[in-house]
Amino acid sequence: MQTTRPDSANATDGEIRARDRSLAFRAAVAQGLVPREQPVVGLLDVTGIIRSAAALRAAFATPGVEVTHTFAVKAAALVPVLRLLRDAGIGCEVASPGELALARAAQVPAALIVLDSPAKTPDELSRALALGVAVNADNAQELDRLDAAVAARPTASPLGVRVNPQIGGGSIGAMSTATATSKFGVPLRDPGAERWLLDAYAARPWLTRLHCHVGSQGCPLELMAAGVRAVHDLAERVNAAAGRRQVDTLDIGGGLPVDFGSDEDSPAFADYADLLRAHVPALFDGRYGIVTEFGRSLLAKNGSLLARVEYAKSAGGRRIAVTHAGAQVATRTVFAPDAWPLRVVALDGTGHPKDGDPVEQDVAGPCCFAGDVVAHARPLPPLDRGDLVALLDTGAYYFSTHFSYNALPRPGVHGYTVDPDGAVRFATVRAPQTPRELTAECGGGWADSLSALTGG
């Protein structure tokens, strides 16, 4: 499909993103990506992802400082996405054997992979050490396991400890990982914790990294910077106690929040990097390498969900558009709408913006529970049967954290690029889940197993 693309010479990244997205919506319909039997689809802006990766690298680039950027795989556990980011110079932060397998399938080098998880099994640790990927130990018991593994077999893996600076939380409790009672890392302010850490590093010359991750959505940048400052100060004390530069790399995590209310990247990676330069200037003096683990902020603005309106009805005087995008794809938005609101765009059946004066209406999903609503009383042009809705800023988490309520299949995901003349090209990232695949996932191959136990 071709439509003239507006001149982008003076446009912001957000304006370019919005223009390309509108063209992609229309092209997705014209090219048959949302047929009747597959009424919801995920769309990823490939050029936007590359642009976001470049902005991240530029923000932290500092002469004399080695910076390794990794992508939090949980934000978009899709092999083609990981491969695209690898090609853009971004590695992977993994938190499970499955995520490690995805990173390996995307051919991400071991040197660009970091393993973080609060519950690593011995086999998981052994696999990581054999591959040479970096590992951040979460607690004293895990460090004991690393002692045994390192003694049994040399490894090229950079090893460190995750620290919880206990500096407080943001506006979303579930996203705040630096609270006093967080499950993550060694609690730095607990009695005896810092002494234990100093002794642990003194006894293990192979511990060369320190890691912290303050939080994610809802956490102000100042709180994140305070966490980085705490881990930097701790590294200085570890090295002073050791009498040498033992800790040579600081893993500062990710967690940059996203503005779900506009098309602009706010805050930008440059905003955060500049704040760190102001609050922790020694971080960039060349004595420490830096590792980052951003996720949502790289992908969220570069993805959309497109879904058909199956029915339009009303109840209690309010219009309701019943769509195919609900809790199965927008789980956080449905269960915590105040924390995770999404912008909704009303489109006609061809993917063009819907006309008409806005009226308050609910945008509901297909799941069989009353709370399956992605937008409540949202002013939108009246939606009718056969129209489409687009859920914006859903490139992170909404595609890879599917909620299998009602055995609804996972939707297909496609990446797109827009040529200068407005032509939109698509590539498959993940095919729609078929009934056969869904049945197999739900035990279809063992239909008689329980009956056999009863002699049936």
Side-chain angles (χ1 to χ4, degrees):
M1 175 180 181
Q2 290 190 325
T3 304
T4 301
R5 186 185 185 191
D7 176 44
S8 299
N10 299 312
T12 66
D13 285 352
E15 290 169 339
I16 295 170
R17 177 181 290 132
R19 293 168 183 174
D20 287 358
R21 184 179 62 217
S22 294
L23 292 172
F25 290 162
R26 300 197 286 275
V29 177
Q31 297 184 33
L33 298 187
V34 278
R36 184 169 299 177
E37 64 275 13
Q38 296 166 4
V40 59
V41 66
L43 301 176
L44 283 169
D45 180 351
V46 172
T47 305
I49 294 171
I50 294 171
R51 193 164 51 236
S52 294
L56 170 59
R57 296 183 66 186
F60 280 83
T62 306
V65 179
E66 182 179 352
V67 183
T68 301
H69 295 294
T70 65
F71 172 70
V73 172
K74 57 184 172 289
L78 299 162
V79 171
V81 170
L82 306 185
R83 180 62 175 271
L84 179 69
L85 288 170
R86 187 214 69 170
D87 294 345
I90 310 294
C92 287
E93 184 265 340
V94 301
S96 72
E99 290 184 354
L100 177 57
L102 296 180
R104 298 288 291 169
Q107 300 181 339
V108 177
L112 293 180
I113 300 176
V114 178
L115 173 62
D116 293 321
S117 164
K120 306 179 194 74
T121 66
D123 286 347
E124 188 177 357
L125 288 171
S126 296
R127 170 69 171 159
L129 297 181
L131 291 171
V133 308
V135 176
N136 292 315
D138 180 82
N139 54 68
Q141 295 171 59
E142 186 174 323
L143 197 53
D144 289 341
R145 286 180 173 176
L146 285 178
D147 284 337
V150 170
R153 180 181 179 183
T155 178
S157 293
L159 303 175
V161 176
R162 178 170 184 167
V163 172
N164 171 12
Q166 294 177 298
I167 55 174
S171 61
I172 306 175
M175 298 292 105
S176 301
T177 58
T179 60
T181 57
S182 171
K183 73 175 187 178
F184 291 104
V186 177
L188 185 57
R189 296 185 179 182
D190 275 17
E194 182 171 333
R195 182 71 261 166
W196 178 85
L197 281 163
L198 293 174
D199 291 344
Y201 275 80
R204 299 169 177 85
W206 41 266
L207 282 178
T208 60
R209 290 189 172 190
L210 271 170
H211 172 236
C212 74
H213 178 84
V214 167
S216 185
Q217 194 70 17
C219 288
L221 300 192
E222 291 75 14
L223 188 71
M224 295 167 60
V228 175
R229 183 170 59 245
V231 78
H232 177 272
D233 291 348
L234 177 60
E236 297 282 88
R237 294 193 291 274
V238 168
N239 288 346
R244 60 189 176 84
R245 185 170 169 261
Q246 178 174 341
V247 175
D248 59 22
T249 302
L250 301 180
D251 185 334
I252 64 173
L256 192 70
V258 168
D259 175 12
F260 286 96
S262 78
D263 283 311
E264 301 301 330
D265 294 304
S266 177
F269 291 118
D271 297 330
Y272 182 43
D274 289 347
L275 186 68
L276 289 175
R277 289 187 173 95
H279 283 68
V280 201
L283 179 67
F284 296 92
D285 66 9
R287 290 182 299 131
Y288 294 100
I290 300 172
V291 176
T292 73
E293 303 172 351
F294 294 101
R296 178 179 293 104
S297 48
L298 277 165
L299 262 291
K301 310 299 291 184
N302 297 308
S304 305
L305 280 161
L306 195 59
R308 287 201 177 276
V309 177
E310 194 66 41
Y311 301 112
K313 55 192 290 188
S314 65
R318 180 181 297 170
R319 294 179 63 94
I320 303 171
V322 182
T323 81
H324 289 274
Q328 89 280 22
V329 289
T331 314
R332 287 178 174 174
T333 296
V334 168
F335 287 106
D338 292 337
W340 302 100
L342 287 176
R343 291 182 291 157
V344 180
V345 176
L347 306 169
D348 65 21
T350 67
H352 288 78
K354 191 77 188 288
D355 293 327
D357 293 331
V359 297
E360 285 192 350
Q361 52 200 307
D362 291 349
V363 180
C367 298
C368 281
F369 67 95
D372 186 30
V373 178
V374 296
H376 295 264
R378 188 71 59 88
L380 294 168
L383 287 160
D384 298 308
R385 183 178 62 184
D387 285 341
L388 297 162
V389 294
L391 309 184
L392 308 187
D393 308 327
T394 49
Y397 294 96
Y398 289 82
F399 298 166
S400 63
T401 52
H402 189 83
F403 179 38
S404 297
Y405 199 91
N406 289 141
L408 288 164
R410 286 186 291 274
V413 180
H414 301 271
Y416 65 85
T417 58
V418 180
D419 295 337
D421 63 358
V424 181
R425 294 180 294 145
F426 291 100
T428 300
V429 174
R430 181 183 70 201
Q433 189 177 31
T434 67
R436 182 186 295 274
E437 291 167 339
L438 192 152
T439 301
E441 186 176 277
C442 295
W446 293 270
D448 297 329
S449 63
L450 299 183
S451 298
L453 290 177
T454 65

